[in-house]
Amino acid sequence: MSTKLTKMLLAEVIVDVKSHETDRTFQYFIPEELQKRVVIGMRVLVPFGPRRVEGYVVSLTNNPETPLEKVKPILRVLDELPPLTPELIELSDWLCERYICTRAQAVQALLPGGMRFKSTLVIEASDVTPAILDAREKEVLSFLKNKGPQVKSQLLKDHPSWRGAIAKLLQKGAITERFMERTGVKEKQVAYVVLQMDRESLLQKLDHLQANAFKQKEVALWLLHQGGTVRLRDLLAATKAARSTIEALRQKGILDIEQREERRDPYHGRYIGEKEGKLPLTAAQERAYSAILSMLQTRQAHTVLLQGVTGSGKTEIYLQTIEACVQMGRQAIVLVPEIALTPQMVERFKKRFGEDVAVLHSRLSPGERYDEWRRIRQGEVSIAVGARSAVFAPFEKLGLLIIDEEHELSYKQEENPKYHAREVAYFRALYHGATVVLGSATPSMEVRYAAAKGRVTRILLPERVNRKPLPPVEIVDMRLELKQGNRSIFSRRLHEAIAEKLAHREQMILFLNRRGYSTFILCRACGYVARCPSCDVSLTYHYLNSIPILRCHYCGHSEEVAGRCPECGSQHIRNFGTGTQKVEEELLRLFPEARVIRMDVDTTATKGSHERLLRTFGAREADILLGTQMIAKGLDFPGVTLVGIITADTSLNVPDFRAAERTFQLLTQVAGRVGRHDAAGEVILQTYHPEHYAIQCAVTQDYERFFQKEIEIRHSLDHPPFWEMTVFTAAHESQKEAYRLARETERWMRRRFSEDPEVIVHETTAAPLARLHGKYRFHQVIKYKSYKKVKAELLAAYFHARAKAKKIDGVLSVDVNAQMVL
Ligand SMILES: Nc1ncnc2c1ncn2[C@@H]1O[C@H](COP(=O)(O)OP(=O)(O)OP(=O)(O)O)[C@@H](O)[C@H]1O
Ligand SMILES: [Zn+2]
């Protein structure tokens, strides 16, 4: 026994349990038979309380923390290759520290979601029926008997009032609980038929078969003809053979059936054979390319801001620097915002690099994601293109990390860990001595300011590749339109332009950053506005299969539209404001001959719909592409000669300090969709705020002027990039409790930092979205110059207030380096 013990090694394991109390590593011993496979970074199955959960080995040791008899064993190893590299383990530690999350959350952010091992607590009625049950208990029991086994947490969520009854029924033995386990996605195994002998021996063998075995002969010869290995499914389909025929051949040793792994390919080998060569670079591109290349060669971490107007050929620079990087034996990651939304981008990478590219984004099935991820982990590809989470692509020799449209808010994750892809890229660049390239026509204030301070190298591409000027932008003041009696969505100018383009068979893009039919409905008699019962927002009017319906864009609540005001009974209840559905309806009314494609969250919900709509438009089978911000970036259609901005004001009215920046960026991006090719283009911009600097600068597409103006405002208001901002959000059904909870963090931080000029502790205030999902929300904002200084206290304040939150059933969350404060 004792000799065995000295041989035994222990593993320090992060367990998949969602709680700050279990946020440390646990020791497990490594059974003899798993000695070889339990290595650092490996995913294992371990017992935890009554459950079996997934865990991640972060180190190995021989020093037990508790008596060895009490240490439980690792049950199983879940992968062939450890999914976490040493770098990723370090990165997960950094994520915890930087964004205040649990270690399990940090590790899971690094791995493709589908591979997680899940165990869920299920309850069901037993055979025991106790004599005495109260009404509630009877209700629960009959529910379970009718509906069968239920996931406990879900049931409690749906019926919070059943909690007590369920506990009592468990005590009485009337219901039982058990863990239901589900392993995550696995390699896809496919049955193959493999010939077991060479041609000569096969022909001999077939000669000796009985004369009536002609089907067996036919199948064997077909297999020989196919080269000896085919999928079982294909063989059955091609030869129409029965299973028994195959079995007979197998028993004679002529063939065998093997399970082989088959990669799921989200792009089905598309774009193969459509390889595209590189373009000769323009002088400006060449300068940018050489600058990035020389940084790559230093093998030191560098950051470049590639600031190029729309159509300046940034993508070509990405492609060529990646090629150079791969030739150096290193790897590259390219992040694009919501890649599923830019199939044109994927296409360019696939056509340039073919099989050397893995694509990662949320619209892939879990199996496809897992396989693409494994192609990266196993070193089969050198390039990963994807949305935010692709920044974690498990490459081991990273050279280049490119973030396209660097200013996009979607690079910040809104759930734990609330990381910013740009910051993760910096971490990885430092680890690997890699270069980070941040590309944008309208850089974020943070990055442009860092360039001004010399922390980031700025490279400018001031002109479009083809020297085409940026399109002229014409402002239409909608207040004047109204004064002059035009109540339509379209100004006379825009109306005219649409008619003219239609007559010339030219294409156009119409932009409105608001989906649904109208913004809200209002009773003109009493002022009643239909609001969500659980959120502090008005409901949006939609048409769903031509039936009007009211919807909450935050919680998904929907209800019928009343014909009369539910408050005063008046019939003067009308909808106000304009969404994409209403614009579409108006277009069809005013221009019945126009072929319109509407693109927003509602029309692109199904897989592939986004790509299909864009392809239709690209093939010029439609005249007008109408959409939300989904169509603002990355698109390049030569047939488009007009961009119409229905209203520039939607993002301006958002109660957030980035509203002006957002508006300027969006408008510049949309305007950039036109005039990129031979045909001249124009932009018509409708607004009620023509004098606003964000709109004025967008009209002249003058980024630098915008930056100067905005940076002054940020400075005078103590906003980022001068200060970093962390936000505590407290939520509770009771307004008072929500406020008190947020106040806890304020008090804590004040006590530590009231004298410190480099930390600003703001007063607790109601959140702009003051109620959501039935809970009141309060914000408490901390601003500081150095995260290092506040880190420990932020964490302490969070733990302190979270303990209170637990007692009163409230929710407390913290967002470090918050991007949006809603
Ligand atoms: N060196 C080159 N020679 C010829 N054409 C080029 C060259 N570089 C880029 N192009 C073409 O110019 C167009 C614009 O380039 P690209 O899409 O790379 O610009 P971008 O800066 O990424 O634009 P956006 O930010 O608007 O998406 C593309 O059609 C591209 O094929
Ligand atoms: Zn709601």
Side-chain angles (χ1 to χ4, degrees):
M1 186 73 192
S2 63
T3 48
K4 246 190 162 172
L5 284 179
T6 52
K7 252 179 81 182
M8 186 173 65
L9 268 173
L10 296 160
E12 298 277 353
V13 177
I14 296 174
V15 291
D16 177 14
V17 180
K18 260 200 219 69
S19 147
H20 281 277
E21 282 68 44
T22 53
D23 190 24
R24 57 181 182 90
T25 57
F26 290 83
Q27 288 191 335
Y28 288 91
F29 81 77
I30 309 168
E32 191 65 42
E33 68 276 14
L34 297 179
Q35 284 286 345
K36 282 209 184 97
R37 296 182 61 207
V38 175
V39 293
I40 292 176
M42 190 54 97
R43 205 161 56 105
V44 292
L45 191 66
V46 293
F48 194 84
R51 270 196 282 178
R52 309 196 306 164
V53 301
E54 181 176 285
Y56 317 94
V57 178
V58 292
S59 63
L60 301 172
T61 171
N62 268 320
N63 300 326
E65 286 166 346
T66 45
L68 268 182
E69 314 77 79
K70 289 201 177 158
V71 181
K72 290 182 193 154
I74 289 177
L75 302 171
R76 202 155 27 107
V77 170
L78 291 171
D79 302 283
E80 289 301 319
L81 206 66
L84 297 172
T85 59
E87 180 214 353
L88 293 183
I89 293 176
E90 261 183 48
L91 178 55
S92 75
D93 285 344
W94 178 81
L95 285 171
C96 294
E97 284 221 344
R98 172 65 175 145
Y99 300 109
I100 309 184
C101 66
T102 66
R103 302 190 69 176
Q105 284 170 336
V107 169
Q108 275 149 13
L110 305 174
L111 302 177
M115 70 195 262
R116 250 173 95 185
F117 176 96
K118 290 200 180 89
S119 112
T120 343
L121 196 55
V122 171
I123 56 174
E124 61 191 327
S126 72
D127 299 332
V128 184
T129 308
I132 310 160
L133 291 174
D134 68 17
R136 180 54 61 72
E137 290 165 24
K138 276 184 191 149
E139 183 190 353
V140 175
L141 198 56
S142 82
F143 179 90
L144 286 174
K145 281 189 170 151
N146 285 329
K147 298 266 165 117
Q150 299 287 315
V151 172
K152 191 176 178 185
S153 57
Q154 188 59 45
L155 196 66
L156 287 174
K157 213 180 211 172
D158 295 346
H159 306 274
S161 57
W162 287 6
R163 189 178 289 274
I166 288 173
K168 284 207 204 96
L169 285 168
L170 275 167
Q171 266 172 19
K172 296 179 185 171
I175 58 178
T176 54
E177 8 177 65
R178 66 188 159 85
F179 284 101
M180 188 177 70
E181 294 180 345
R182 211 176 63 220
T183 46
V185 286
K186 278 257 161 54
E187 300 91 84
K188 182 171 163 192
Q189 296 289 342
V190 173
Y192 274 79
V193 184
V194 183
L195 197 59
Q196 299 295 306
M197 45 186 65
D198 62 23
R199 188 189 162 85
E200 289 308 308
S201 355
L202 177 67
L203 293 178
Q204 261 181 22
K205 185 115 183 171
L206 292 185
D207 268 350
H208 290 97
L209 286 191
Q210 292 151 301
N212 63 356
F214 53 85
K215 191 71 195 179
Q216 290 179 30
K217 286 182 190 170
E218 182 196 324
V219 171
L221 288 172
W222 185 84
L223 185 58
L224 178 69
H225 197 71
Q226 298 294 314
T229 308
V230 287
R231 281 173 167 217
L232 174 60
R233 198 196 316 153
D234 295 344
L235 179 136
L236 293 174
T239 62
K240 306 264 180 314
R243 286 271 181 174
S244 55
T245 309
I246 311 288
E247 187 50 29
L249 286 164
R250 203 177 68 83
Q251 283 182 7
K252 294 189 176 99
I254 294 176
L255 55 78
D256 205 359
I257 297 189
E258 286 174 14
Q259 296 293 321
R260 293 193 180 179
E261 195 207 328
E262 189 175 82
R263 284 290 159 83
R264 307 160 180 101
D265 178 4
Y267 292 90
H268 313 293
R270 244 174 352 182
Y271 311 126
I272 287 173
E274 296 181 54
K275 223 164 160 100
E276 259 174 21
K278 45 182 174 184
L279 302 168
L281 297 178
T282 63
Q285 282 176 320
E286 182 64 46
R287 273 194 298 278
Y289 170 80
S290 321
I292 296 169
L293 203 64
S294 56
M295 289 179 190
L296 252 177
Q297 279 154 351
T298 64
R299 294 188 180 254
Q300 303 267 315
H302 283 286
T303 305
V304 176
L305 164 59
L306 186 60
Q307 183 179 343
V309 297
T310 51
S312 58
K314 294 185 288 292
T315 312
E316 187 62 32
I317 298 173
Y318 303 155
L319 291 166
Q320 297 202 15
T321 45
I322 290 169
E323 192 179 325
C325 171
V326 172
Q327 274 167 6
M328 291 166 69
R330 302 170 81 188
Q331 298 141 343
I333 294 175
V334 185
L335 302 186
V336 297
E338 314 276 334
I339 194 177
L341 308 181
T342 52
Q344 284 188 333
M345 193 76 165
V346 174
E347 188 174 332
R348 284 180 77 178
F349 276 84
K350 281 276 180 187
K351 282 187 177 170
R352 190 66 61 92
F353 300 111
E355 294 289 285
D356 206 14
V357 185
V359 179
L360 294 168
H361 59 81
S362 59
R363 295 208 175 186
L364 302 183
S365 72
E368 288 170 341
R369 265 180 91 101
Y370 177 59
D371 280 5
E372 289 292 278
W373 179 86
R374 281 194 320 139
R375 288 190 336 124
I376 299 168
R377 180 68 188 92
Q378 298 178 0
E380 291 170 32
V381 296
S382 307
I383 304 160
V385 180
R388 180 179 58 227
S389 64
V391 75
F392 300 120
F395 285 126
E396 291 180 272
K397 285 179 288 177
L398 260 180
L400 201 52
L401 293 117
I402 295 172
I403 307 186
D404 189 35
E405 312 286 6
E406 154 289 312
H407 59 274
E408 282 291 323
L409 290 179
S410 65
Y411 287 124
K412 178 84 154 86
Q413 161 126 320
E414 296 297 328
E415 293 121 48
N416 279 327
K418 296 177 181 165
Y419 67 90
H420 197 300
R422 195 199 299 135
E423 294 185 342
V424 177
Y426 291 159
F427 175 96
R428 300 199 70 185
L430 214 55
Y431 187 95
H432 291 276
T435 300
V436 178
V437 177
L438 305 169
S440 177
T442 53
S444 61
M445 287 292 125
E446 279 85 351
V447 171
R448 178 64 188 81
Y449 182 68
K453 289 279 156 197
R455 292 193 295 269
V456 166
T457 309
R458 188 162 73 121
I459 302 176
L460 282 172
L461 298 169
E463 275 190 345
R464 285 185 160 177
V465 169
N466 51 14
R467 307 249 164 156
K468 291 262 183 275
L470 292 172
V473 181
E474 191 180 326
I475 281 200
V476 179
D477 184 344
M478 292 305 273
R479 295 171 304 189
L480 286 178
E481 288 291 310
L482 200 63
K483 250 187 217 155
Q484 290 162 2
N486 178 15
R487 304 182 140 268
S488 159
I489 299 171
F490 304 107
S491 60
R492 289 156 298 177
R493 182 65 191 91
L494 185 55
H495 188 130
E496 234 168 61
I498 295 172
E500 188 199 314
K501 299 294 170 192
L502 285 173
H504 288 97
R505 298 233 141 257
E506 288 169 21
Q507 287 181 298
M508 64 207 103
I509 289 178
L510 296 181
F511 171 78
L512 174 65
N513 205 14
R514 192 187 285 138
R515 68 193 171 99
Y517 186 83
S518 71
T519 331
F520 59 97
I521 71 166
L522 170 96
C523 171
R524 293 195 129 159
C526 74
Y528 159 86
V529 172
R531 306 188 73 85
C532 175
S534 38
C535 306
D536 187 22
V537 293
S538 53
L539 294 171
T540 307
Y541 196 90
H542 278 254
Y543 276 103
L544 197 66
N545 305 323
S546 45
I547 298 162
I549 190 164
L550 292 174
R551 263 208 214 152
C552 171
H553 282 186
Y554 290 89
C555 73
H557 165 86
S558 66
E559 59 186 60
E560 274 176 47
V561 179
R564 286 168 175 277
C565 172
E567 292 283 307
C568 72
S570 155
Q571 289 185 349
H572 296 285
I573 184 156
R574 299 277 181 274
N575 60 72
F576 288 86
T578 304
T580 45
Q581 279 189 339
K582 194 193 256 180
V583 178
E584 183 181 26
E585 187 184 278
E586 273 296 283
L587 280 171
L588 295 176
R589 191 176 67 80
L590 297 169
F591 310 101
E593 75 285 7
R595 297 166 301 171
V596 181
I597 290 179
R598 174 163 65 89
M599 230 165 96
D600 52 33
V601 173
D602 301 314
T603 63
T604 53
T606 55
K607 197 175 169 172
S609 51
H610 189 273
E611 231 177 314
R612 200 167 50 247
L613 293 177
L614 288 181
R615 218 178 306 125
T616 308
F617 190 66
R620 306 192 76 142
E621 286 161 20
D623 308 298
I624 302 177
L625 177 62
L626 160 69
T628 54
Q629 57 177 323
M630 225 177 244
I631 60 166
K633 53 198 163 249
L635 301 183
D636 190 359
F637 294 111
V640 173
T641 56
L642 169 70
V643 165
I645 295 164
I646 305 294
T647 168
D649 309 337
T650 41
S651 51
L652 211 51
N653 297 330
V654 176
D656 182 74
F657 76 94
R658 274 179 221 274
E661 182 183 356
R662 262 318 268 154
T663 303
F664 174 77
Q665 286 163 345
L666 257 178
L667 296 178
T668 311
Q669 294 296 337
V670 189
R673 297 309 106 210
V674 80
R676 299 163 66 98
H677 300 269
D678 292 338
E682 59 182 318
V683 181
I684 295 174
L685 181 157
Q686 307 189 140
T687 175
Y688 287 92
H689 302 279
E691 66 294 329
H692 194 286
Y693 67 97
I695 292 186
Q696 285 295 329
C697 293
V699 168
T700 47
Q701 301 191 45
D702 188 345
Y703 174 84
E704 287 305 316
R705 190 155 71 93
F706 176 77
F707 172 72
Q708 293 308 339
K709 177 85 189 162
E710 180 71 10
I711 204 79
E712 266 172 42
I713 294 174
R714 297 286 181 90
H715 188 248
S716 66
L717 296 177
D718 294 334
H719 278 324
F722 298 92
W723 299 75
E724 185 175 285
M725 190 165 77
T726 284
V727 180
F728 287 105
T729 304
H732 197 278
E733 269 144 32
S734 142
Q735 193 169 12
K736 208 166 108 199
E737 293 292 0
Y739 173 74
R740 291 220 306 233
L741 197 51
R743 275 280 291 166
E744 290 291 335
T745 64
E746 184 190 331
R747 279 218 199 90
W748 186 282
M749 296 306 282
R750 269 197 202 294
R751 229 171 336 194
R752 270 77 186 172
F753 294 111
S754 59
E755 304 291 309
D756 194 323
E758 296 211 318
V759 180
I760 306 173
V761 181
H762 280 270
E763 247 166 59
T764 299
T765 53
L769 269 171
R771 206 160 79 101
L772 205 60
H773 296 280
K775 292 194 162 110
Y776 288 91
R777 301 169 76 244
F778 282 84
H779 279 329
Q780 204 266 306
V781 175
I782 316 283
K783 286 181 187 155
Y784 44 87
K785 296 278 186 188
S786 143
Y787 182 61
K788 238 190 229 147
K789 185 180 232 174
V790 293
K791 186 167 77 177
E793 292 303 334
L794 281 179
L795 188 70
Y798 176 63
F799 274 107
H800 163 74
R802 224 183 44 101
K804 299 249 154 136
K806 262 207 162 150
K807 272 188 215 132
I808 57 165
D809 217 12
V811 180
L812 182 82
S813 60
V814 56
D815 186 358
V816 176
N817 190 9
Q819 299 293 300
M820 242 191 324
V821 194
L822 286 180

